[in-house]
Amino acid sequence: MENLPVEIFDLILAHLTLTDWKCLRLTSRTIYTRLSSFSSYSHIHSIILSPKSSSGITLLDKLTLMEGIEHLSLSNFNYTELHTLLQTSESFRLCLNQLNSLSFARSATLIDSRIFYELLSYCKSLEKLDLSNYKFFFLSHNFSQNSNIYPSIKRLNLNGNIHLSDYAFNCLMKSFPNIESLHLLDIPLRSFITSTENRTVLTFENVCSYIQKYHERFKALTISFEPSLSCDTQIKRLFIKIPTNLIYFHIDGTLNVSTLLHFLLLFDNHLEILIVGRLKLDHTGCQPLFDAVSQYASNLKKLCVFLNIPLHLSATQQQQQIRFPVFNQSSDISLSSLKQLNDLDIQTLYPLNEIDLINLFSDSLTYLKKLALPRNTTDDVIKHICIQSSFVLSLTHLNLSNCSSLSNRSILLINKYLLSLRELTINYNININDFALIGLSICGIGKTIEWLSPTLINRQFIDDLSIWTYTITHQTLCKCQLPTYISSSCIKLRLKDFSFDNDEYSERILFMLTEHKLFNEYFYSINKLKNLKSLKLRQCIQLTNRLFRFGLRSLPNLQYLDISLCEKIDDKNLSLIGQACPSIETIDLSGCYKITEKGKQILKNTAKRVKIVDF
């Protein structure tokens, strides 16, 4: 370990938790010295210090080598603790001096702006400041007392600060004169208030004036509007002066496709990331959207579009009353001009039908890595992606939430072909069951094995197992290679006396089948996805505890598993998760009411690092 190159050393650390990392420091003096600076770990995760931490402040005070700390979160500190730390800890002040990123995100404690600015005065290299969801900070009236300027800060996150006012915003912008990235998500901008209200709300006019004044500087902008109001006029006003360097734009507001076309035309293919919330389609459906993006945003690397749904309708009413247009086969849905696209989220584009999706993924999207599909996605769409798409080997994230028409066959195709997947989301599916993850497709009538594609079956696989009944009918164009191999199209293999119920005899059949040496040659389980780190199966109500014994058998890199609201799952086989998934860190068991406290304890005993989420 002591002689390892730095790159290999950091790669090992990437797979360890902070607890393991601290234990590793005790193995040798060389490693202790190397790790005592936090440098290796801080490149991978933010260092989070808490006043209640058993190690954070203690370790920081004892450090001798301070190189490499880049990210720090102080979300749990209040005014008194920060003031004391600044006055007494030389190590803390040195740490601040070399920070690249500092976060107070989700802080629930009131921190006076004076100590805030005092702390920033030590951050000479700070570029990113995260003040998102900083609940009470912006109720302070001491902003005007600061006269210091912090020129190094270029990225400012103010998301979720509903108490942010024009007064506080202007004071912050005066202190941070070189902002290139500004995030104002979940702060509904309002218009036309009186001058006496500038200390209580943030107005569109004020933000617009600032952005127009420094439009040449902006590279990233996130902005929100009141959900119930159209923001078409405001968007056109916002871009009277074109921000020529803007490459990231996220708008959360109700707007028409014509407005989207307007500002894309202004940007003239400069944008690299575009996220649009609450887009309103007209009678022509998605066609204008794809035309606008293809023509005026060809350099996009990430595209996420969410459709607007009237707020006054309930979920049931939305399903009953909202009718999107359905395209015919002549629809020209294409993103072929987006050669650099690597992230595509079209989860809410419900008007897209099967033909549109197949046409869309016939384009050359070679660099696509992340994909979220709409609820109209079918098995044929997944088959096309797995067999004919240009991005089958590059795709690392796939989101199939609410794709209720998908069957086990789609999951088997994913297991076989999408071998680079790191995150797979199949939430809210009532059709998919354990067998999709085990690697089997079993027809309910007759318990016949269904094959993904025609294959030659080794007779040994049939003769070794006493679980089969079968009939052989050689086809006219028989491809059997007798006596060793028989074509899957000439034989019907049935599981003898098998039951889909979770009984002991059927489990014995599954054990014999999955343990056979040729099983992995003919069937494609979830364990083929060796790079998988996150598997989300929320409310897949057909799943049972067979999943842990025969499905998740060897996923060495899996860190996150969500089986929340899977109501059939109980304590049985939970002890197998730790062995099958040695890297598991978090399991979401929310709503699994059949899992007892005893079962959770067994899980913790066998998966030592696991954190159980249970609401």
Side-chain angles (χ1 to χ4, degrees):
M1 176 70 78
E2 297 180 14
N3 298 321
L4 285 178
V6 174
E7 295 79 10
I8 301 298
F9 192 77
D10 286 345
L11 183 63
I12 294 172
L13 290 176
H15 294 277
L16 299 178
T17 65
L18 182 56
T19 303
D20 293 333
W21 169 74
K22 289 184 292 187
C23 293
L24 184 63
R25 297 169 68 243
L26 305 178
T27 59
S28 77
R29 182 176 298 277
T30 302
I31 295 175
Y32 180 88
T33 303
R34 219 165 156 182
L35 286 177
S36 289
S37 66
F38 279 108
S39 58
S40 298
Y41 195 84
S42 66
H43 285 299
I44 305 161
H45 302 289
S46 298
I47 301 298
I48 301 176
L49 298 184
S50 166
K52 297 179 181 179
S53 171
S54 61
S55 58
I57 298 301
T58 305
L59 285 176
L60 194 61
D61 282 334
K62 292 182 178 180
L63 293 180
T64 54
L65 299 175
M66 300 300 299
E67 299 84 5
I69 303 178
E70 295 182 355
H71 315 287
L72 185 65
S73 172
L74 298 173
S75 300
N76 295 323
F77 281 92
N78 60 30
Y79 168 84
T80 304
E81 291 158 346
L82 267 182
H83 182 73
T84 302
L85 202 57
L86 280 173
Q87 299 300 317
T88 60
S89 175
E90 177 67 22
S91 297
F92 182 63
R93 294 193 294 270
L94 289 172
C95 170
L96 293 176
N97 186 56
Q98 55 194 359
L99 283 183
N100 176 267
S101 173
L102 177 63
S103 173
F104 290 92
R106 300 188 180 279
S107 177
T109 55
L110 176 63
I111 299 180
D112 191 281
S113 60
R114 288 171 295 185
I115 191 67
F116 168 73
Y117 285 121
E118 181 184 350
L119 185 146
L120 288 184
S121 65
Y122 292 96
C123 302
K124 304 299 184 182
S125 303
L126 192 66
E127 292 188 10
K128 180 180 179 181
L129 179 61
D130 187 351
L131 301 177
S132 60
N133 297 288
Y134 205 174
K135 294 186 178 180
F136 306 110
F137 179 64
F138 294 102
L139 294 178
S140 169
H141 293 281
N142 296 321
F143 289 98
S144 60
Q145 297 182 12
N146 174 64
S147 58
N148 296 326
I149 302 298
Y150 309 95
S152 66
I153 297 177
K154 297 181 179 179
R155 293 184 288 171
L156 180 61
N157 186 350
L158 299 173
N159 290 346
N161 289 301
I162 58 176
H163 298 299
L164 183 63
S165 63
D166 281 349
Y167 164 76
F169 178 81
N170 292 339
C171 289
L172 282 176
M173 295 304 105
K174 183 179 179 181
S175 301
F176 311 136
N178 295 321
I179 294 297
E180 297 176 353
S181 175
L182 179 62
H183 300 276
L184 301 171
L185 198 64
D186 297 326
I187 310 175
L189 297 182
R190 307 170 191 178
S191 297
F192 307 116
I193 64 170
T194 63
S195 58
T196 58
E197 292 179 300
N198 75 331
R199 285 178 177 263
T200 59
V201 297
L202 182 65
T203 64
F204 168 75
E205 285 75 19
N206 189 53
V207 173
C208 182
S209 175
Y210 175 78
I211 292 174
Q212 288 181 0
K213 184 177 181 180
Y214 302 105
H215 66 279
E216 294 182 349
R217 197 171 65 206
F218 275 95
K219 295 181 180 179
L221 177 62
T222 299
I223 194 167
S224 295
F225 292 90
E226 189 67 38
S228 59
L229 302 175
S230 174
C231 64
D232 295 292
T233 303
Q234 287 92 331
I235 289 297
K236 292 177 181 178
R237 289 173 57 193
L238 185 66
F239 295 125
I240 290 177
K241 294 183 178 180
I242 305 172
T244 53
N245 293 318
L246 195 70
I247 59 174
Y248 177 107
F249 184 48
H250 180 171
I251 174 172
D252 182 22
T254 305
L255 74 161
N256 292 305
V257 175
S258 58
T259 305
L260 178 66
L261 174 61
H262 173 80
F263 70 71
L264 287 182
L265 182 63
L266 295 176
F267 290 144
D268 191 24
N269 292 313
H270 289 154
L271 282 181
E272 295 182 4
I273 297 176
L274 175 62
I275 305 174
V276 180
R278 299 197 297 274
L279 183 69
K280 292 174 64 177
L281 298 180
D282 57 22
H283 67 281
T284 59
C286 295
Q287 190 72 51
L289 166 65
F290 282 88
D291 288 346
V293 170
S294 296
Q295 190 168 359
Y296 300 112
S298 59
N299 286 324
L300 281 183
K301 295 180 180 179
K302 178 177 181 177
L303 173 62
C304 300
V305 180
F306 304 94
L307 295 191
N308 180 60
I309 296 178
L311 297 177
H312 63 277
L313 297 180
S314 66
T316 303
Q317 289 174 324
Q318 289 168 9
Q319 293 176 0
Q320 294 174 348
Q321 297 184 28
I322 296 177
R323 294 290 182 266
F324 292 115
V326 178
F327 298 127
N328 55 36
Q329 295 189 23
S330 62
S331 301
D332 185 19
I333 301 298
S334 174
L335 291 175
S336 58
S337 63
L338 278 63
K339 301 299 184 183
Q340 302 181 63
L341 189 68
N342 59 43
D343 190 341
L344 177 62
D345 188 339
I346 51 175
Q347 201 169 1
T348 66
L349 292 188
Y350 304 135
L352 296 179
N353 59 29
E354 178 183 288
I355 296 172
D356 295 322
L357 291 169
I358 290 177
N359 289 338
L360 178 62
F361 298 123
S362 296
D363 294 335
S364 179
L365 301 174
T366 309
Y367 299 105
L368 194 64
K369 293 183 178 181
K370 298 181 179 181
L371 178 62
L373 292 171
R375 65 185 180 193
N376 293 334
T377 301
T378 63
D379 287 342
D380 285 338
V381 173
I382 299 299
K383 181 178 180 181
H384 179 84
I385 290 174
C386 291
I387 297 178
Q388 299 185 44
S389 72
S390 60
F391 53 85
V392 61
L393 294 179
S394 64
L395 200 65
T396 59
H397 294 67
L398 180 60
N399 189 337
L400 301 174
S401 292
N402 293 300
C403 297
S404 56
S405 63
L406 294 182
S407 69
N408 283 357
R409 192 169 187 82
S410 287
I411 308 305
L412 295 176
L413 286 165
I414 291 169
N415 295 343
K416 181 178 180 180
Y417 292 102
L418 302 183
L419 300 181
S420 298
L421 276 187
R422 297 180 184 176
E423 181 174 307
L424 177 59
T425 303
I426 323 173
N427 296 337
Y428 311 109
N429 189 294
I430 61 174
N431 299 320
I432 292 170
N433 56 36
D434 306 317
F435 299 103
L437 303 170
I438 294 172
L440 294 170
S441 181
I442 306 174
C443 179
I445 301 175
K447 312 299 187 297
T448 305
I449 298 294
E450 297 179 328
W451 306 91
L452 276 182
S453 58
T455 186
L456 289 174
I457 307 169
N458 193 320
R459 284 299 302 253
Q460 182 184 357
F461 183 65
I462 302 172
D463 297 338
D464 283 353
L465 300 172
S466 58
I467 62 176
W468 306 114
T469 61
Y470 58 87
T471 57
I472 298 176
T473 306
H474 291 288
Q475 305 298 310
T476 304
L477 299 176
C478 178
K479 296 184 179 180
C480 298
Q481 297 178 12
L482 299 175
T484 306
Y485 296 96
I486 186 168
S487 173
S488 59
S489 59
C490 296
I491 185 172
K492 282 191 174 182
L493 276 177
R494 301 182 184 89
L495 289 172
K496 183 168 56 178
D497 299 327
F498 182 78
S499 171
F500 287 108
D501 295 330
N502 202 359
D503 61 81
E504 184 177 344
Y505 179 75
S506 297
E507 285 210 1
R508 190 155 57 245
I509 291 177
L510 286 175
F511 176 78
M512 294 173 63
L513 179 60
T514 55
E515 288 295 321
H516 194 279
K517 61 183 180 181
L518 295 177
F519 176 81
N520 291 328
E521 185 174 332
Y522 301 121
F523 302 101
Y524 305 95
S525 72
I526 192 72
N527 302 291
K528 293 281 186 180
L529 307 180
K530 296 298 183 184
N531 296 311
L532 199 65
K533 293 186 176 181
S534 174
L535 179 60
K536 301 177 182 179
L537 304 168
R538 180 179 177 84
Q539 206 169 353
C540 292
I541 58 177
Q542 298 296 333
L543 294 179
T544 72
N545 294 75
R546 283 174 172 169
L547 169 69
F548 308 125
R549 185 176 182 188
F550 305 110
L552 309 181
R553 306 183 72 192
S554 178
L555 287 172
N557 292 311
L558 191 69
Q559 297 175 358
Y560 181 88
L561 175 64
D562 184 354
I563 51 173
S564 58
L565 298 174
C566 295
E567 54 191 33
K568 292 185 179 181
I569 292 179
D570 54 29
D571 294 348
K572 188 177 181 180
N573 297 330
L574 287 179
S575 60
L576 301 176
I577 296 178
Q579 182 178 355
C581 310
S583 300
I584 195 73
E585 294 180 358
T586 306
I587 299 180
D588 193 337
L589 301 178
S590 302
C592 297
Y593 61 89
K594 290 187 177 180
I595 297 179
T596 66
E597 290 300 320
K598 181 180 178 181
K600 295 173 188 176
Q601 189 58 50
I602 291 174
L603 179 55
K604 290 179 180 179
N605 291 339
T606 54
K608 300 293 185 181
R609 304 192 304 179
V610 74
K611 173 187 176 183
I612 296 178
V613 179
D614 185 11
F615 295 107

